[in-house]
Amino acid sequence: MNRLLWNKLQNSLLLRVGGMIAAITILAVVGMSTSWMVAETTQGNGEAINVAGSLRMQSWRMASFYQRLLQTDKPEYRETLQQAIERFEQDLEAGSILSVLPEDDTTPLKQVYRQVEIDWQQRIKPALVLQSSTAQNAVVLDEIPLFVKHINDLVKQIEEATEAKIFVLRVILGVAIIGTILAVILSIYLVNSILVIPLKALLGLTDQIRQGNLAVRTELAGDDEIGQLAQAFNLMAEDLSKLYQDLEARVEQKTAELTRSNRSLDLLYRSITRLHGIAPDNAVFHHVLTDAEAVLGLGNGTICLKGENDTHGQVVATTALNNRSPLCQRANSCGECHDSQAVRMDTLADGRQILRMPLTDAEKRYGMLAIDVPANTTAERWQVQLLEALSRHIGVTIASEQRSEQHRRVSLLEERAVIARELHDSLAQSLAYMKIQVSRLRNALKHPEEGEEITAALEELRDGLSSSYQQLRELLSTFRLRMEDDDLGMALAQTTTEFTERGHLPIELTVNLGNLNLGPNEEIHLLQIVREALSNILKHAHASHAWVTLQSQTDGRVQLWVDDDGVGIQKIAAMHHYGMAIMAERARALHGTLEYLPRAEGGTRVQLEFTIRTSHAA
């Protein structure tokens, strides 16, 4: 049982601290209770000493009363003496004196008290009461000093007993104080050694952990609360160390991923800039491969392209030394590169691998991007994804360039067709007309008598040549026309300024197309119609003012008005003017209607109205 309690005491800090507090409390309680008990025993000792001391005075007083009674026997003296005797007996048997008497009859205090009591009862009191003779009287007076001496011994014994109790009280208090001080000192020492010092050590280690040193461990051991706290601290430090290492690893991983992502985005940005800045050629593809090789950290790269009618592809760029791409080590051509429509990994005889990426867009396949993966190396997922994105950009770029080339070809063919049509509708007809006149002239020259016919034929040839020359100038002006900055409003403003300066004719321009954008073909036709209308106004209308208005309607219709305050539509319509036919042809190309209307204020309005077939709204 005692061993079990000792083990509990050793393994419990609370029990040890509680034991120290209990020891201090017990010492304090024992000291105070003992002191209280001693104080209780000394209570009344002072009164007993006073009462006992008064017995000496009363003895001498009774002797004085007795001697005076012997000299003069008066009743009042006898009564006074009797009162003194009664009081002496009361004080001798007073409770304060009896309370200080011990129970043991062998004690000096008890024996002295018994001697005083015997002397009083057997010798002093009877002598004072009887008063038989003078000789006896002399004996009583002689015994009084001895009796007082016994009373003095009684007082002294009471004083010594009281001092002994006070000494015992002092000893008890001293022992209690010393024991309490020792217990407090021991408690302070024990608390400092088993509680304060370990806690300070743990706080120091906690501060080191706060500063980032997660390798610290405490050497405190035991089964008590401090030992358990130390074990919990070590476990916590170990968990924090593992967590911190895990966080560091995750931070490094995320940092590497972010760095890789930034490099990948930078590669894609620079590649897109190179591929879409200008028409990509072999040098551009080579730069793209060089950048990809630096970012990916794999082997050499190769771009192989194959035309629609080619049976074999062609390597257009490679980063391999001496242009010896491993892509072509398995075949004499790039034909096999175009067999697969998906990402593919081929293994060479030396253990290296070739990662092949098709260069495609949404419509067709243009070639292959191949990357040499060294032996004992595996292409990671991010590398494959980056190569896929790069191959898509290359494919889109090639497709865009091919479409642009196709558009340029179509535009060139359309422009040639327009030139052919313009030449056919103007110069070809005029030359055919002049050919007929030359035939007339040749027939007329066979008959010199027909001079008027020759003159008429020559006159018509001159008019035809003039008309052909005018048509040629108009065609040259049309073919040289350019749209500066792709802005129809600016082109119209330049045109009106040109005709204003040419004919000193004020022309007001109003353009209000809203958010509607016209196509290039529509803009060219509109601009040519405006130029032809203004040219007719300068040549034939004799106008003093002109207005050009271009506006759009909510339903997609476009209206063009060219107004003047000249001589009117009848005179212009009666004149032969080839430009009006060209204007009508352009209106039909726009799928619109062209009308010549008289103005209410005088003059003519050329009105064009058409609907945009393809939406160009911004």
Side-chain angles (χ1 to χ4, degrees):
M1 183 67 180
N2 293 332
R3 186 174 182 84
L4 181 61
L5 292 175
W6 176 252
N7 291 333
K8 288 185 177 181
L9 183 63
Q10 289 293 324
N11 297 332
S12 177
L13 182 63
L14 293 178
L15 288 179
R16 278 184 279 176
V17 175
M20 291 184 287
I21 296 175
I24 296 173
T25 303
I26 291 173
L27 285 174
V29 171
V30 170
M32 289 187 292
S33 60
T34 306
S35 300
W36 177 78
M37 293 173 61
V38 173
E40 283 292 323
T41 60
T42 58
Q43 187 176 6
N45 284 14
E47 184 181 356
I49 293 173
N50 291 332
V51 173
S54 67
L55 292 177
R56 293 176 296 183
M57 182 189 66
Q58 293 181 39
S59 297
W60 292 114
R61 186 178 179 187
M62 287 185 298
S64 174
F65 288 157
Y66 182 74
Q67 186 177 8
R68 188 172 59 180
L69 181 62
L70 291 177
Q71 294 175 358
T72 306
D73 189 8
K74 292 182 179 182
E76 59 270 17
Y77 290 163
R78 189 174 295 280
E79 184 180 355
T80 301
L81 178 60
Q82 184 64 35
Q83 292 177 355
I85 291 171
E86 292 176 356
R87 181 173 180 184
F88 184 86
E89 285 185 341
Q90 291 177 357
D91 290 343
L92 182 61
E93 297 178 356
S96 58
I97 294 177
L98 295 177
S99 64
V100 300
L101 295 177
E103 296 292 336
D104 190 3
D105 292 337
T106 61
T107 59
L109 176 58
K110 192 67 173 288
Q111 291 179 356
V112 171
Y113 179 78
R114 291 300 181 192
Q115 184 64 42
V116 171
E117 188 178 21
I118 292 171
D119 290 345
W120 170 256
Q121 294 293 339
Q122 295 180 2
R123 296 170 58 190
I124 303 301
K125 181 179 178 180
L128 292 176
V129 174
L130 293 178
Q131 304 174 5
S132 60
S133 65
T134 305
Q136 291 177 344
N137 295 339
V139 174
V140 172
L141 293 177
D142 291 336
E143 292 180 353
I144 289 296
L146 181 59
F147 181 69
V148 171
K149 182 178 180 300
H150 291 163
I151 295 175
N152 285 335
D153 291 339
L154 177 62
V155 173
K156 185 176 180 181
Q157 288 295 328
I158 295 175
E159 289 179 351
E160 289 179 353
T162 302
E163 289 179 355
K165 292 179 180 180
I166 293 175
F167 176 75
V168 172
L169 179 60
R170 289 177 180 173
V171 171
I172 293 173
L173 290 176
V175 172
I177 291 173
I178 293 174
T180 303
I181 292 175
L182 291 177
V184 170
I185 293 174
L186 180 61
S187 299
I188 292 175
Y189 171 76
L190 291 176
V191 169
N192 185 65
S193 60
I194 68 177
L195 186 62
V196 176
I197 293 177
L199 288 179
K200 285 185 177 180
L202 288 177
L203 287 176
L205 296 178
T206 303
D207 186 65
Q208 293 186 37
I209 287 181
R210 184 180 61 84
Q211 294 176 1
N213 183 12
L214 299 179
V216 295
R217 298 292 184 273
T218 179
E219 298 179 355
L220 297 174
D223 296 329
D224 56 4
E225 288 81 357
I226 292 296
Q228 295 175 5
L229 180 61
Q231 294 177 4
F233 177 85
N234 288 336
L235 292 176
M236 179 195 69
E238 185 175 356
D239 291 341
L240 286 176
S241 179
K242 292 180 180 179
L243 180 61
Y244 185 76
Q245 292 176 0
D246 182 64
L247 287 177
E248 283 186 337
R250 293 177 63 184
V251 168
E252 291 179 357
Q253 180 183 1
K254 293 299 181 182
T255 302
E257 291 178 358
L258 288 175
T259 302
R260 190 164 57 238
S261 298
N262 290 335
R263 295 180 62 187
S264 300
L265 291 175
D266 181 65
L267 171 63
L268 292 177
Y269 172 76
R270 286 186 283 111
S271 299
I272 292 173
T273 302
R274 286 193 174 101
L275 292 172
H276 296 279
I278 57 176
D281 54 10
N282 294 359
V284 172
F285 289 134
H286 186 272
H287 285 305
V288 171
L289 288 176
T290 302
D291 293 341
E293 182 178 342
V295 173
L296 293 171
L298 298 176
N300 300 319
T302 301
I303 294 179
C304 176
L305 298 182
K306 180 181 178 182
E308 294 182 357
N309 300 322
D310 295 339
T311 57
H312 302 292
Q314 180 181 5
V315 174
V316 297
T318 181
T319 58
L321 296 177
N322 300 324
N323 292 329
R324 294 288 298 171
S325 172
L327 178 66
C328 303
Q329 292 181 6
R330 295 181 47 180
N332 295 325
S333 67
C334 299
E336 66 173 15
C337 297
H338 304 273
D339 297 336
S340 176
Q341 296 295 326
V343 179
R344 177 175 99 184
M345 183 74 77
D346 294 334
T347 302
L348 301 180
D350 56 0
R352 289 181 299 169
Q353 294 179 322
I354 300 297
L355 180 61
R356 304 176 187 270
M357 299 283 177
L359 303 179
T360 62
D361 64 350
E363 298 178 356
K364 59 185 296 186
R365 179 186 178 95
Y366 302 99
M368 178 69 68
L369 168 63
I371 299 295
D372 180 18
V373 181
N376 301 323
T377 303
T378 303
E380 299 182 11
R381 180 178 178 82
W382 70 270
Q383 294 172 325
V384 176
Q385 292 177 344
L386 181 58
L387 285 173
E388 288 179 347
L390 185 61
S391 63
R392 284 195 296 270
H393 284 299
I394 295 176
V396 170
T397 300
I398 296 173
S400 177
E401 181 62 23
Q402 290 185 0
R403 283 193 292 269
S404 298
E405 182 64 25
Q406 184 67 23
H407 290 163
R408 286 193 291 271
R409 292 177 180 176
V410 172
S411 299
L412 180 60
L413 292 176
E414 290 179 351
E415 186 65 22
R416 288 179 178 178
V418 170
I419 293 175
R421 184 180 66 249
E422 299 287 357
L423 291 175
H424 176 270
D425 294 341
S426 57
L427 289 180
Q429 294 180 2
S430 297
L431 291 176
Y433 174 74
M434 286 187 289
K435 183 179 179 180
I436 295 173
Q437 300 305 321
V438 168
S439 299
R440 286 181 56 197
L441 179 60
R442 186 177 57 184
N443 293 329
L445 289 175
K446 294 179 181 181
H447 305 281
E449 67 278 4
E450 298 180 0
E452 294 181 0
E453 183 69 19
I454 294 174
T455 302
L458 290 174
E459 194 65 28
E460 289 180 0
L461 280 174
R462 185 180 64 81
D463 292 340
L465 286 174
S466 298
S467 176
S468 297
Y469 178 74
Q470 180 64 27
Q471 292 173 11
L472 178 61
R473 289 182 58 86
E474 291 177 356
L475 289 175
L476 292 176
S477 176
T478 298
F479 296 149
R480 289 175 180 174
L481 181 64
R482 292 186 302 172
M483 295 286 293
E484 299 292 341
D485 299 327
D486 297 331
D487 189 346
L488 177 61
M490 182 65 68
L492 290 174
Q494 294 175 354
T495 298
T496 55
T497 301
E498 174 189 347
F499 279 90
T500 296
E501 295 175 352
R502 184 190 302 177
H504 303 287
L505 176 67
I507 303 174
E508 294 184 12
L509 174 64
T510 302
V511 178
N512 184 18
L513 292 177
N515 62 346
L516 187 67
N517 291 330
L518 302 177
N521 186 56
E522 296 164 339
E523 291 180 346
I524 289 294
H525 284 308
L526 278 174
L527 185 58
Q528 290 295 347
I529 291 174
V530 171
R531 293 183 64 87
E532 183 63 31
L534 292 177
S535 177
N536 289 338
I537 292 174
L538 290 181
K539 294 177 180 178
H540 310 292
H542 305 291
S544 60
H545 206 97
W547 298 266
V548 177
T549 303
L550 179 63
Q551 64 183 13
S552 63
Q553 304 296 329
T554 57
D555 56 357
R557 290 183 297 112
V558 178
Q559 293 178 333
L560 173 66
W561 299 332
V562 181
D563 298 332
D564 67 79
D565 57 354
V567 298
I569 185 64
Q570 292 83 7
K571 185 174 181 181
I572 294 177
M575 297 175 60
H576 174 73
H577 195 272
Y578 178 74
M580 297 177 66
I582 298 298
M583 292 170 61
E585 180 64 23
R586 294 187 183 278
R588 286 192 295 272
L590 292 174
H591 304 283
T593 57
L594 180 67
E595 297 181 285
Y596 300 90
L597 304 174
R599 293 178 69 245
E601 299 84 356
T604 305
R605 164 173 290 183
V606 178
Q607 177 176 296
L608 171 66
E609 184 173 326
F610 67 95
T611 302
I612 298 178
R613 294 298 180 93
T614 303
S615 177
H616 301 283

